Amino acid sequence: MQDSYVRTEKGDMWQRNQTSLADFILEGLFDDSLTHLFLFSLTIVVFLIAVSGNMLTILLICADARLHTPMYFLLSQLSLMDLMHVSTTIPKMATNYLSGKKTISFVGCATQHFLYLSLGGAECLLLALMSYDRYVAICHPLRYTVLMNRKVGLMMVVMSWLGASINSLIHTVILMHLPFCGSRKIHHFYCEFPAILKLVCGDITVYETIVYIISIVLLLLPILFISTSYAFILHSVIQMHSAGSKRNAFATCSSHLIVVSFWFGACIFSYMRPRSQRTPLQDKVGSVFYSIITPTLNPLIYTLWNKDVAKALRGVMGREILTQRWQLQLS
């Protein structure tokens, strides 16, 4: 009798484990209508622009010796994060749409969740630390090479990647060990944390509350740090007597401020609203903005607003044109 009970209990545990490891179903963004086919094509174009723009930014910073400074090293890491972020979600969404399949494996979902959460957290931290770089450059220009040397820049990058990865690993492990029951359909186009959390059965109110508080802290602390840095910057700019110096200071900070506004605005919309006020459509709209639109706009903003990057781009294009002319003359 006891052996039978033990075998039954083991069988139930095995069945629950198999259920937990079953594939998830991603709802996706588009259906089979012509309108959605056009929107899908537009999304792919935007994705290709994001990939090429961020790759170009990284290559320009690596190729041009004038851009080998802490500021542009941080910018190259931002472009790398955007490149990885957009590559974590869109290819799987496109594959599912084109193949007609909507499944994603348990391991694949966990991996995607870890990557997108790591990259999102790392970008929040990096954008905050980039504001310190701007503060030092404008408020303490004579001490810039001391306060923002290569070692400090490298430490900032390591802190951003490592801190965000540890946070993401903890949340991914906890989330994927929670019991899933009923439908395994994720009302999203990738394995986003709030969308997966809705599939969990049982009382997880305490865990949700803790995650909500952590999300607020992880978003508000960088925003507070950025606001403090720019308060000091604004104070220094007001005290400048030269109109040219003021224009240069604003030009230096404007691109970073625009990127910060887009990124944190989308994150606040997506993660700082209570669960009762969230709808799947709103979650998708917010995610599309910070996972597709923002990575596309970032390199465009820095290229158009930053004179050094624009000059490096013109230099590379000019050399390419001269090379092509030289090859034509030889032929």
Side-chain angles (χ1 to χ4, degrees):
M1 187 74 176
Q2 189 174 0
D3 290 342
S4 177
Y5 173 77
V6 171
R7 283 196 299 271
T8 304
E9 187 177 6
K10 287 183 178 179
D12 291 341
M13 287 177 64
W14 180 84
Q15 189 172 6
R16 282 197 299 270
N17 288 336
Q18 290 297 107
T19 305
S20 296
L21 294 174
D23 291 352
F24 291 98
I25 300 171
L26 292 171
E27 186 178 63
L29 275 176
F30 311 109
D31 55 32
D32 296 328
S33 65
L34 288 175
T35 303
H36 279 219
L37 179 61
F38 169 75
L39 291 174
F40 170 77
S41 303
L42 185 63
T43 302
I44 296 302
V45 171
V46 173
F47 167 73
L48 294 175
I49 293 172
V51 170
S52 57
N54 284 291
M55 286 184 66
L56 180 61
T57 302
I58 295 169
L59 292 174
L60 283 175
I61 293 171
C62 292
D64 197 315
R66 292 170 297 181
L67 302 182
H68 293 175
T69 63
M71 172 186 172
Y72 293 108
F73 174 62
L74 297 178
L75 177 58
S76 69
Q77 293 299 305
L78 181 68
S79 293
L80 178 61
M81 290 173 186
D82 283 335
L83 179 62
M84 293 179 65
H85 201 155
V86 77
S87 301
T88 299
T89 56
I90 304 305
K92 179 59 180 176
M93 181 272 291
T95 302
N96 282 5
Y97 181 79
L98 294 173
S99 66
K101 298 178 181 179
K102 295 188 175 183
T103 58
I104 183 170
S105 66
F106 181 87
V107 175
C109 189
T111 303
Q112 191 180 62
H113 179 271
F114 169 75
L115 288 174
Y116 106 84
L117 202 60
S118 296
L119 294 164
E123 190 153 342
C124 286
L125 294 174
L126 187 66
L127 285 171
L129 294 172
M130 287 174 76
S131 69
Y132 173 76
D133 172 78
R134 296 298 81 212
Y135 158 74
V136 175
I138 294 172
C139 299
H140 304 283
L142 299 178
R143 301 178 60 196
Y144 182 79
T145 54
V146 177
L147 297 175
M148 273 301 301
N149 53 44
R150 185 172 296 182
K151 183 178 179 182
V152 174
L154 185 61
M155 285 177 60
M156 286 181 170
V157 169
V158 171
M159 284 171 56
S160 299
W161 282 105
L162 188 60
S165 297
I166 292 172
N167 174 68
S168 178
L169 181 62
I170 292 170
H171 282 300
T172 302
V173 170
I174 293 174
L175 180 64
M176 292 302 170
H177 276 80
L178 292 174
F180 298 101
C181 52
S183 173
R184 299 179 73 86
K185 185 176 183 180
I186 299 173
H187 295 284
H188 217 290
F189 64 96
Y190 65 93
C191 293
E192 192 192 34
F193 183 85
I196 301 175
L197 202 63
K198 291 177 181 178
L199 304 181
V200 176
C201 53
D203 187 11
I204 53 170
T205 308
V206 175
Y207 178 62
E208 279 187 299
T209 305
I210 293 171
V211 169
Y212 183 64
I213 293 171
I214 291 173
S215 300
I216 292 175
V217 171
L218 289 178
L219 284 174
L220 290 186
L221 282 181
I223 291 173
L224 181 63
F225 188 84
I226 293 169
S227 302
T228 304
S229 297
Y230 277 103
F232 283 112
I233 290 172
L234 183 61
H235 178 71
S236 296
V237 170
I238 291 172
Q239 291 182 331
M240 292 178 181
H241 301 292
S242 169
S245 298
K246 290 182 179 181
R247 281 196 300 270
N248 289 335
F250 281 120
T252 303
C253 298
S254 56
S255 53
H256 180 255
L257 275 174
I258 294 171
V259 170
V260 164
S261 301
F262 282 148
W263 176 259
F264 282 99
C267 288
I268 288 171
F269 178 80
S270 296
Y271 293 108
M272 288 185 64
R273 290 175 299 130
R275 185 178 180 180
S276 58
Q277 298 179 11
R278 307 169 70 100
T279 65
L281 179 60
Q282 289 175 344
D283 288 343
K284 286 182 181 180
V285 170
S287 296
V288 164
F289 196 86
Y290 75 77
S291 66
I292 303 175
I293 305 299
T294 302
T296 306
L297 292 177
N298 286 356
L300 297 177
I301 292 168
Y302 275 105
T303 303
L304 294 174
W305 286 73
N306 190 290
K307 293 180 180 179
D308 294 333
V309 178
K311 189 183 295 182
L313 179 60
R314 286 195 297 269
V316 170
M317 292 176 67
R319 286 196 297 270
E320 185 65 27
I321 291 171
L322 288 174
T323 303
Q324 289 178 359
R325 287 179 178 174
W326 182 69
Q327 288 175 346
L328 286 173
Q329 288 176 356
L330 289 177
S331 61

